[in-house]
């Protein structure tokens, strides 16, 4: 190494060292929600720092750490910072998601067991920690990295693959690492309520996740339409600005989300509403335009006699078999037929 290169390396190390101070680096948390439970189930830890002339983003900081063989040192610093700062806020049924760079195993200073040691001084359990592996990170040594993940799993930690569907070697990474969660990249989520091609891709990933026993998380959800369509597709785990931006302390789920989701869930399971004025012809017109599933869906019969839940397939079959009564209200006939 030339004298100039030595000086540059020393300068880079000094810059990196200056950032590994609590005054320079801090953590914000991005909520991950489960809309079946209307609750925040976890927080992704995101490294942040004040505006800087040296780095435009934390990604550049981690790239420098990798180049100067100090990646593990930086990951240890940010991971401890994330765990320590969220400990007063993390509930027992919530998880902390932290980044794990695959090539950290090649860092000369790498030794397993650091995270477990940090947790011993907190009330956070290993099964509350999810190591998030970005799909943008090319893994040069699957065998070594897989052994590392096996070590973490033996201690109770979980594993997620981030940015699934964004490119690179997703399928190989999924098959080799067998993650507990697949986080679908926002490129497949944006406008999913309008683009069938994206719906097909997410459906395929849902099928893969089901076969592997991995949970599916939709990233980058930003609109009500995207959220509601994902619910209709059976995706309940989501993350995105629609639910809250990264912040500290960890942000709760906004109240308006719960009300919207409850209404959407009702529309999902009860797509047909029948009142005392609904006629046979109106029901048949509804059937002709309905594009959803009939399996495990119901009609809500809300009439003066009370509310009744009826199997959607049975109601449609009944209406079709009595089409001659087109302008008559259907509810008295349904009432006598089902009783």
């Amino acid at each position: 190494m030339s004298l100039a290169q030595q000086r540059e390396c020393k300068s880079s190390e000094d810059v990196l060292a200056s950032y590994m101070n609590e005054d320079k680096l801090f953590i914000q948390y991005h909520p991950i929600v489960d809309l079946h439970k209307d609750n925040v189930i976890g927080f992704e830890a995101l490294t942040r720092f004040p505006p800087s002339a040296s780095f435009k983003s934390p990604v550049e900081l981690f790239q420098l750490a990798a180049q100067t063989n100090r990646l593990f040192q930086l990951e240890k610093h940010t991971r401890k910072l994330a765990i320590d700062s969220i400990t007063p806020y993390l509930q027992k049924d919530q998880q902390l998601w932290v980044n794990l760079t695959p090539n950290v195993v090649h860092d000369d200073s790498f030794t397993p067991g650091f995270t477990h040691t940090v947790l011993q001084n907190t009330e956070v359990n290993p099964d509350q920690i999810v190591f998030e592996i970005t799909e943008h990170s090319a893994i040069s040594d699957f065998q070594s990295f897989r052994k590392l993940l096996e070590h973490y799993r033996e201690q109770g930690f979980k594993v997620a693959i981030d940015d699934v569907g964004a490119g690179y070697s997703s399928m190989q990474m999924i098959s080799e690492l067998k993650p507990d969660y697949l986080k679908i990249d926002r490129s497949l989520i944006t406008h999913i309520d309008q683009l069938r091609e994206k719906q097909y891709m997410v459906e395929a990933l849902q099928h893969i996740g089901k076969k592997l026993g991995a949970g599916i998380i939709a990233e980058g959800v930003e609109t009500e339409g995207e959220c509601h369509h994902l619910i209709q597709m059976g995706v309940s785990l989501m993350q995105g600005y629609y639910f809250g931006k990264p912040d500290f302390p960890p942000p709760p789920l906004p109240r308006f989300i719960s009300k919207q989701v409850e209404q959407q869930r009702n529309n999902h399971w009860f797509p047909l509403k029948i009142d005392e004025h609904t006629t046979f012809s109106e029901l048949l017109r509804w059937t002709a335009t309905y594009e959803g599933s009939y399996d495990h869906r119901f009609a809500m019969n809300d009439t003066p006699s009370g509310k009744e839940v009826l199997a959607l397939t049975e109601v449609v079959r009944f209406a079709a078999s009595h089409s001659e009564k087109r302008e008559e209200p259907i509810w008295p006939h349904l009432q006598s037929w089902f009783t």
Side-chain angles (χ1 to χ4, degrees):
M1 182 182 292
S2 68
L3 182 59
Q5 289 174 323
Q6 290 178 8
R7 288 175 177 171
E8 183 179 353
C9 182
K10 180 62 176 176
S11 175
S12 297
E13 290 182 357
D14 290 343
V15 170
L16 185 61
S18 72
Y19 272 82
M20 283 191 286
N21 297 313
E22 292 187 7
D23 292 341
K24 283 284 185 77
L25 295 179
F26 60 94
I27 305 295
Q28 289 185 328
Y29 298 93
H30 201 189
I32 300 170
V33 304
D34 184 344
L35 295 181
H36 277 334
K37 300 178 180 178
D38 292 339
N39 192 23
V40 175
I41 62 163
F43 299 95
E44 179 183 0
L46 302 174
T47 303
R48 297 286 192 256
F49 49 71
S52 163
S54 301
F55 303 102
K56 294 180 180 179
S57 72
V59 173
E60 294 182 356
L61 184 67
F62 279 88
Q63 288 174 343
L64 175 61
Q67 293 167 6
T68 57
N69 202 34
R70 301 183 73 181
L71 180 60
F72 184 54
Q73 185 177 350
L74 180 58
E75 283 208 356
K76 285 198 302 182
H77 179 81
T78 55
R79 194 174 301 165
K80 185 177 187 305
L81 189 59
I83 293 172
D84 289 346
S85 58
I86 202 174
T87 295
Y89 305 97
L90 195 67
Q91 300 176 16
K92 289 293 184 181
D93 59 348
Q94 293 178 328
Q95 297 172 316
L96 171 63
W97 296 57
V98 294
N99 286 336
L100 175 63
T101 306
N103 290 331
V104 74
V105 296
H106 301 302
D107 193 300
D108 292 341
S109 63
F110 174 76
T111 53
F114 168 77
T115 307
H116 195 270
T117 301
V118 175
L119 293 182
Q120 289 178 348
N121 299 320
T122 72
E123 296 183 357
V124 180
N125 298 315
D127 61 2
Q128 291 179 266
I129 301 295
V130 181
F131 286 111
E132 190 168 329
I133 306 153
T134 177
E135 194 264 342
H136 285 294
S137 300
I139 299 178
S140 57
D141 186 350
F142 271 105
Q143 184 175 359
S144 297
F145 191 56
R146 190 166 55 239
K147 287 182 179 179
L148 173 63
L149 293 185
E150 289 172 358
H151 168 76
Y152 282 138
R153 283 192 169 109
E154 288 173 357
Q155 297 182 67
F157 299 109
K158 306 294 184 183
V159 175
I161 294 181
D162 193 17
D163 304 324
V164 172
Y168 293 83
S169 53
S170 283
M171 293 303 106
Q172 181 184 6
M173 190 181 290
I174 292 171
S175 62
E176 292 273 0
L177 304 184
K178 301 176 178 60
D180 300 287
Y181 299 96
L182 300 177
K183 296 186 73 177
I184 301 178
D185 187 73
R186 62 172 298 174
S187 62
L188 293 179
I189 301 302
T190 302
H191 303 313
I192 192 172
D193 52 323
Q194 304 169 32
L195 301 174
R196 289 188 178 274
E197 293 80 7
K198 293 188 177 185
Q199 297 167 18
Y200 301 151
M201 293 293 292
V202 170
E203 286 174 357
L205 291 171
Q206 284 180 280
H207 182 71
I208 292 172
K210 183 177 181 180
K211 290 293 184 181
L212 295 178
I216 296 293
I217 299 175
E219 293 187 290
V221 179
E222 295 190 355
T223 69
E224 182 179 342
E226 292 166 357
C227 174
H228 290 177
H229 193 86
L230 287 163
I231 292 175
Q232 291 176 353
M233 294 180 67
V235 178
S236 64
L237 303 180
M238 302 184 202
Q239 183 179 20
Y241 283 6
Y242 181 63
F243 309 104
K245 295 183 179 180
D247 201 357
F248 183 84
L253 185 67
R255 292 183 178 180
F256 78 91
I257 295 292
S258 297
K259 293 181 179 180
Q260 288 185 357
V261 169
E262 182 180 3
Q263 181 61 45
Q264 183 62 21
R265 255 201 318 262
N266 287 337
N267 293 339
H268 175 67
W269 295 112
F270 301 94
L272 175 60
K273 307 295 191 299
I274 298 174
D275 61 29
E276 59 183 310
H277 304 294
T278 304
T279 64
F280 280 90
S281 60
E282 289 173 337
L283 180 52
L284 291 173
R285 284 197 297 272
W286 178 89
T287 304
T289 59
Y290 178 62
E291 296 181 351
S293 173
Y294 285 87
D295 295 335
H296 309 294
R297 301 293 188 273
F298 304 92
M300 176 63 72
N301 191 27
D302 189 1
T303 62
S305 61
K307 292 186 178 181
E308 297 175 295
V309 175
L310 308 173
L312 185 59
T313 52
E314 295 299 319
V315 172
V316 171
R317 187 180 298 114
F318 177 80
S321 65
H322 294 74
S323 57
E324 73 281 358
K325 307 180 185 296
R326 297 186 64 85
E327 302 309 319
E328 295 183 31
I330 191 174
W331 77 270
H333 301 278
L334 280 174
Q335 190 177 35
S336 61
W337 186 52
F338 279 97
T339 56

